[in-house]
Amino acid sequence: MNASAIDGTVSAHLARSLVGALASAGRGGPARRPDLAGDVLGNDLARVSTPSLISVWEDLVLTDPRTLIGPLILQKTPIGAFGVWDYLVTTGPTLRESLTGAVDLIAAIGDPAAEKLLVEEDGHHFTVRHATGTWGPDVVQAVDLFALSLFLTRARHASGRDIAPAHVTITHRPPAQARQLARLFGTDRIHFDAPYNSISFREDDVRAPLPAAQPGLDRLLARHAERVLAESRPVPLPWLDRFRTVLAAAFREDALSLAAVAHRLAMSPRTLQRRLAENGTTWRGQVEAVRQKQALELLRTTGLPLRSIADRVGYADVRALRRAVRRWEGSSPREVRGAADPAAG
């Protein structure tokens, strides 16, 4: 497998699950994105761009910023939803071997360039560490909790027991729902503001034989996963769509500059400006379009204060946001929000 060929992408299985969760929450925005269309998500060999998936995570977080969206999604996600990766976790001789194999083949579900996993053993505990990319803080927290919960829910299914982790470490501050998170994880031994994210299982739990184990099946599935990865292909996007996806990602990551975006597209700033001109647009016009789209969406679909929205879309203060909304819509932010939700009145 040439890992670089799928760097910056995730499996259609993962994208399909998260888009489905978003649809269940009553938000259908991802269908407008070219690489999240139904025909793409229905192709198990398709690889969706990571920036597109991060935009889905942003929408999920916005459905209710207080919700532990990652772990809650996995409570409703059956084994098999993530394709062959799910079965790698459930069919090895022991949980130790199954989880190790699943970590080695994390590319079968996620972005190998963004998701960093490490297995550690000390004779008493089996630990999986996790780190993700430099997205917005709320998205990073959602992805981190999703990843830790992913290993826990799959370990529970594989063992046929309601395994409780020996301990969990999380780099973020305690959420308002820390007690709910403890219930979902089955332990109070959750340490926040930690130096890294991790979930640890007791040695007795990971060494016990798995009930669904069949000799050699784990190796067969690992070879199948490698073949699927070799045959998978990123979804091709028109150049301008690809540019807009990269621009939106840079915007979210507070890395918005012509030079930074050009670097992500493997071209010089001058070449990028020329390509934009060939497509009938400009750098300044595209940046303004991203700001407009994100600001209006936040006004219409969230209850975030204007100060928070101004910060998110790069305006110095609320007055600048008000002037921009008046220029775009001919009305105030309050009027835009009220038109989207008459009850907000």
Side-chain angles (χ1 to χ4, degrees):
M1 175 188 66
N2 181 4
S4 63
I6 58 171
D7 282 354
T9 69
V10 302
S11 74
H13 291 95
L14 178 59
R16 188 162 61 228
S17 294
L18 296 184
V19 169
L22 192 57
S24 297
R27 294 173 63 99
R32 299 192 298 270
R33 301 179 182 110
D35 56 347
L36 293 175
D39 58 334
V40 172
L41 298 182
N43 178 1
D44 289 348
L45 294 179
R47 299 285 299 191
V48 172
S49 73
T50 299
S52 287
L53 191 77
I54 294 302
S55 70
V56 177
W57 272 116
E58 287 184 324
D59 287 344
L60 282 165
V61 169
L62 287 173
T63 58
D64 185 348
R66 299 165 299 173
T67 298
L68 302 172
I69 192 67
L72 290 174
I73 287 173
L74 286 165
Q75 298 299 307
K76 303 176 182 178
T77 306
I79 292 294
F82 301 127
V84 66
W85 190 89
D86 264 345
Y87 299 109
L88 287 170
V89 185
T90 56
T91 55
T94 67
L95 198 53
R96 175 184 177 275
E97 291 167 279
S98 293
L99 289 176
T100 300
V103 166
D104 290 341
L105 282 167
I106 194 61
I109 177 174
D111 179 355
E115 303 304 310
K116 305 303 180 184
L117 291 162
L118 175 68
V119 169
E120 295 180 327
E121 297 183 76
D122 62 7
H124 301 285
H125 299 106
F126 177 97
T127 300
V128 179
R129 289 197 191 189
H130 171 263
T132 190
T134 55
W135 329 118
D138 49 356
V139 171
V140 169
Q141 182 172 11
V143 173
D144 285 336
L145 294 181
F146 178 88
L148 298 182
S149 186
L150 178 65
F151 282 96
L152 177 58
T153 57
R154 273 44 195 165
R156 285 173 171 171
H157 182 91
S159 65
R161 295 184 291 113
D162 195 20
I163 292 176
H167 57 264
V168 177
T169 64
I170 297 173
T171 58
H172 311 281
R173 297 176 62 185
Q177 311 82 356
R179 290 184 180 179
Q180 183 183 8
L181 185 63
R183 287 195 298 272
L184 290 170
F185 278 19
T187 181
D188 290 325
R189 295 183 177 181
I190 302 178
H191 307 285
F192 297 97
D193 291 318
Y196 52 83
N197 301 292
S198 71
I199 184 165
S200 296
F201 300 95
R202 294 176 179 82
E203 191 74 5
D204 289 348
D205 287 330
V206 298
R207 295 282 182 177
L210 292 181
Q214 297 182 38
L217 182 57
D218 56 328
R219 294 190 295 275
L220 181 65
L221 288 171
R223 289 196 294 271
H224 175 65
E226 290 170 350
R227 283 197 296 271
V228 168
L229 282 170
E231 295 172 9
S232 296
R233 294 291 181 270
V235 178
L237 293 174
W239 184 84
L240 193 56
D241 284 333
R242 180 166 171 255
F243 162 78
R244 286 170 174 160
T245 298
V246 172
L247 177 64
F251 195 95
R252 290 189 297 269
E253 297 164 29
D254 198 23
L256 186 62
S257 72
L258 178 65
V261 172
H263 178 73
R264 293 185 185 207
L265 291 166
M267 60 179 63
S268 70
R270 181 174 296 181
T271 300
L272 174 55
Q273 289 178 312
R274 186 176 69 249
R275 290 293 301 272
L276 288 169
E278 291 170 355
N279 281 270
T281 187
T282 64
W283 167 258
R284 183 175 180 179
Q286 289 297 309
V287 170
E288 178 73 359
V290 171
R291 281 205 174 98
Q292 178 178 351
K293 179 181 178 182
Q294 294 198 9
L296 293 178
E297 184 172 359
L298 289 169
L299 283 170
R300 289 167 174 155
T301 63
T302 78
L304 288 174
L306 294 185
R307 172 73 265 179
S308 296
I309 294 177
D311 287 343
R312 285 189 181 217
V313 300
Y315 285 116
D317 52 40
V318 171
R319 287 180 298 175
L321 174 65
R322 287 196 180 104
R323 287 196 297 269
V325 174
R326 180 73 65 177
R327 184 172 67 251
W328 300 327
E329 298 290 298
S331 54
S332 69
R334 182 178 180 179
E335 290 167 336
V336 170
R337 178 165 274 169
D341 181 10

